Amino acid sequence: MRKSLTTLAVACAAFLATSAFGQTPEEVKKGVEQYREMLELGNPAELYALKGEALFKKKRGPKNASLEQCDFGKGPGVLKGVYAEMPRYFADTGKVQDLESRLVTCMVQLQGISEKDATKRPFGNADKPSENEQLVAYIVSQSYGDPINIKLDNPKMKEAYEIGKRLFFYRAGPWDFSCATCHAEENTRIRLQDLPVLSSPAGAKAAMTTWPAYRVSNSQLKTMEWRINDCYRQMRFPEPNFISDSVIALTTYLAYTANGGVYKGPGIKR
Amino acid sequence: MKKALIAAAAGALVVAGCASMKEMDAKYDAEVVQWMKRDFHARGIATMDRLDQDEVQRVCTQYDNKPPEAMAKQIEAGEMKKIKLPSDGKYMGDWKAGQKIAQRGRGMTWRDKPGSTNGGSCYNCHQLSTAELSFGTIGPSLNQFGKKRGYTVANQKYVYEKIYDSKAFTACSNMPRLGLSGTLTEQQIKDVTAYLMDPNSPVNK
């Protein structure tokens, strides 16, 4: 671990030194890619996953229980491969849930924590990560190597997919944006950031197999709930509620489109 | 006879199936906005009325940004009427101020303070001066725009109008309507117009 952190520091210094103004966009891009490769040696997401594991196993809340008996869809206590099949429908809540939403359910049911407390701080900052992000990092790392497999075998899943697709193409706000404005045409970018075509299987796979991710520009691990929240900010929309049906529907649409992609997260991003 | 009846029955089932699929589609279409209104909250200047579509947004969403020709023409004519031209009849401001506005990507999000100066985000989507290497490609390159199109008053007017309301020329353009939405002021639009149309601007070097 120590060693990879040192490598990280060296990589950062190298990156900063080469990112000076006056390079061609290709050179700048190459620098970012190199940076990314070097970071793969020691993705800081691992630190989040380690902390998440400790939190997951710790007895907490009024019921003084851990989250170990949480059912993420494959039975209580099973973590292997669960993220690759989320969002999914849960009969006990009667809802389609993503990982973040299901974690809240378990904190409420198993630990007796109030929903209000469980959703108090969904996104952290560089100084203070949110516990939610650490738990997420731990659980998704248990799906490494598993193919994304979202089934629309239930009317609620079908509904989430259909609404999610419509949300993706819904144009509104002062700048007339939809998700498709930035994510539906090949080879486009904003400034130097490549924009994946998320309505196509290839683009959706690239994105959904690598999120949640450690984001170098934020120096933090970020979740899919955050990614969608921040894109709505860029769209000049009002803010979507954390773990709301709309965000989960969009995630269902993207994840279903990414079916078959092999999960490789938590990833690392620019 | 029996076979024909079965075929007819199967046919009827298929038709019923299609009808209900269409009905489901219409139901989902109608529900999207209800879902958003339930699941979003106002934050700062980003108020909930932003979720309501105007006619242009509604038609462009409905037709996947490719409305029938006649409908597109109607939108463009309607948007053209919404453009407010500068009161003094001059389209050109200061290209140096325009460069800053073209560079600036801030404005209109829930993080922006009311009354703060907005940018035009031009570089997010367009190449302009070749000196700036960090540019987006959602829109076409505007490098050498004035030089190539000609430094005429008619072209100055076109650029002013395009920035004010992109949909007056391309019904479902991905470019925001920066004047109509109140993002840029009259003076800011003039400055950016000069950035594209002034022979001394780096865009035309």
Side-chain angles (χ1 to χ4, degrees):
Chain A
M1 195 73 228
R2 244 268 185 64
K3 185 147 176 236
S4 58
L5 281 182
T6 317
T7 321
L8 187 75
V10 173
C12 290
F15 176 68
L16 290 176
T18 55
S19 69
F21 209 79
Q23 290 176 299
T24 66
E26 282 67 33
E27 279 167 344
V28 174
K29 237 173 106 171
K30 212 172 141 219
V32 173
E33 269 158 23
Q34 275 171 352
Y35 181 43
R36 203 176 280 164
E37 273 168 29
M38 289 167 96
L39 281 176
E40 303 253 17
L41 296 172
N43 183 349
E46 287 165 23
L47 290 174
Y48 284 74
L50 279 173
K51 290 205 174 119
E53 180 174 9
L55 268 176
F56 190 76
K57 294 179 174 165
K58 192 169 156 191
K59 292 195 169 66
R60 297 194 303 161
K63 294 190 182 170
N64 196 33
S66 78
L67 287 169
E68 285 161 303
Q69 284 309 302
C70 186
D71 181 355
F72 293 101
K74 289 175 179 274
V78 181
L79 294 184
K80 175 74 191 132
V82 293
Y83 185 66
E85 296 184 23
M86 292 180 99
R88 72 151 68 208
Y89 174 75
F90 288 87
D92 60 349
T93 54
K95 284 175 64 143
V96 174
Q97 298 187 275
D98 64 358
L99 174 56
E100 282 100 315
S101 152
R102 193 62 187 170
L103 268 168
V104 170
T105 302
C106 287
M107 288 182 204
V108 172
Q109 288 179 357
L110 299 176
Q111 299 182 312
I113 296 172
S114 74
E115 181 158 344
K116 188 160 167 267
D117 281 343
T119 54
K120 208 168 44 197
R121 202 160 171 275
F123 312 131
N125 55 39
D127 296 331
K128 190 166 175 258
S130 101
E131 294 189 338
N132 166 281
E133 290 160 346
Q134 295 171 336
L135 287 166
V136 164
Y138 169 57
I139 294 158
V140 303
S141 66
Q142 310 294 310
S143 289
Y144 190 92
D146 294 316
I148 295 182
N149 181 16
I150 305 298
K151 295 191 204 85
L152 306 184
D153 53 0
N154 170 290
K156 290 265 189 189
M157 284 298 288
K158 173 85 178 143
E159 177 186 54
Y161 170 84
E162 291 291 343
I163 297 280
K165 182 165 72 179
R166 283 162 178 77
L167 287 170
F168 190 85
F169 292 100
Y170 187 88
R171 290 188 79 168
W175 284 16
D176 307 327
F177 282 165
S178 73
C179 307
T181 305
C182 295
H183 292 299
E185 222 171 294
E186 296 291 343
N187 298 318
T188 50
R189 53 173 216 247
I190 282 205
R191 291 287 181 152
L192 291 175
Q193 303 167 29
D194 288 320
L195 295 166
V197 181
L198 296 171
S199 48
S200 83
K205 279 179 193 169
M208 302 310 276
T209 56
T210 51
W211 277 88
Y214 183 84
R215 253 191 128 225
V216 175
S217 46
N218 300 82
S219 315
Q220 291 165 72
L221 181 120
K222 289 295 177 195
T223 62
M224 189 45 67
E225 284 274 342
W226 175 86
R227 184 63 270 178
I228 289 175
N229 177 287
D230 198 59
C231 279
Y232 269 122
R233 181 183 62 81
Q234 294 182 50
M235 283 164 72
R236 277 75 188 169
F237 275 44
E239 187 175 31
N241 299 339
F242 178 59
I243 59 174
S244 61
D245 291 345
S246 292
V247 174
I248 294 170
L250 257 175
T251 310
T252 305
Y253 166 66
L254 296 176
Y256 180 79
T257 308
N259 261 351
V262 175
Y263 187 67
K264 295 194 284 291
I268 185 150
K269 302 271 166 180
R270 186 195 56 81
Chain B
M1 186 65 202
K2 208 174 196 177
K3 240 190 192 160
L5 269 182
I6 293 172
L13 263 182
V14 169
V15 169
C18 290
S20 75
M21 240 170 83
K22 260 203 184 135
E23 270 167 34
M24 286 307 281
D25 275 346
K27 180 175 150 319
Y28 293 137
D29 285 346
E31 274 178 10
V32 173
V33 115
Q34 296 162 20
W35 278 54
M36 296 183 92
K37 291 203 165 162
R38 184 194 62 207
D39 291 345
F40 284 62
H41 58 268
R43 180 166 168 188
I45 59 171
T47 45
M48 286 295 279
D49 56 345
R50 291 186 177 192
L51 296 174
D52 293 318
Q53 291 179 319
D54 76 351
E55 191 58 14
V56 175
Q57 294 168 337
R58 195 185 60 73
V59 170
C60 295
T61 300
Q62 185 182 347
Y63 291 96
D64 198 13
N65 296 322
K66 294 176 274 294
E69 183 76 19
M71 215 178 263
K73 287 271 165 299
Q74 204 182 326
I75 288 180
E76 288 158 11
E79 292 303 290
M80 194 57 104
K81 290 206 195 93
K82 295 182 188 165
I83 296 177
K84 263 207 220 98
L85 292 175
S87 37
D88 62 0
K90 296 198 179 76
Y91 304 111
M92 300 275 277
D94 168 12
W95 70 257
K96 286 187 187 124
Q99 174 161 278
K100 290 205 184 90
I101 298 159
Q103 282 280 7
R104 193 173 166 85
R106 305 252 312 257
M108 309 297 275
T109 76
W110 68 57
R111 266 197 220 146
D112 298 297
K113 299 269 167 302
S116 60
T117 308
N118 296 324
S121 279
C122 315
Y123 274 106
N124 280 357
C125 295
H126 294 287
Q127 179 182 41
L128 291 120
S129 161
T130 48
E132 176 53 84
L133 300 171
S134 172
F135 59 86
T137 60
I138 292 175
S141 171
L142 301 174
N143 183 238
Q144 308 276 309
F145 191 86
K147 199 174 188 176
K148 279 189 197 150
R149 298 288 174 101
Y151 299 115
T152 63
V153 175
N155 284 338
Q156 292 171 4
K157 178 166 182 274
Y158 164 64
V159 171
Y160 187 96
E161 290 174 325
K162 181 75 190 176
I163 299 169
Y164 192 98
D165 190 339
S166 58
K167 274 73 173 175
F169 302 90
T170 311
C172 294
S173 172
N174 275 340
M175 176 165 158
R177 293 170 282 183
L178 293 160
L180 191 71
S181 60
T183 304
L184 298 180
T185 63
E186 177 180 303
Q187 186 56 48
Q188 284 181 304
I189 301 177
K190 284 184 177 187
D191 293 340
V192 181
T193 301
Y195 189 49
L196 268 66
M197 293 300 295
D198 191 317
N200 295 316
S201 159
V203 170
N204 295 314
K205 292 291 169 196

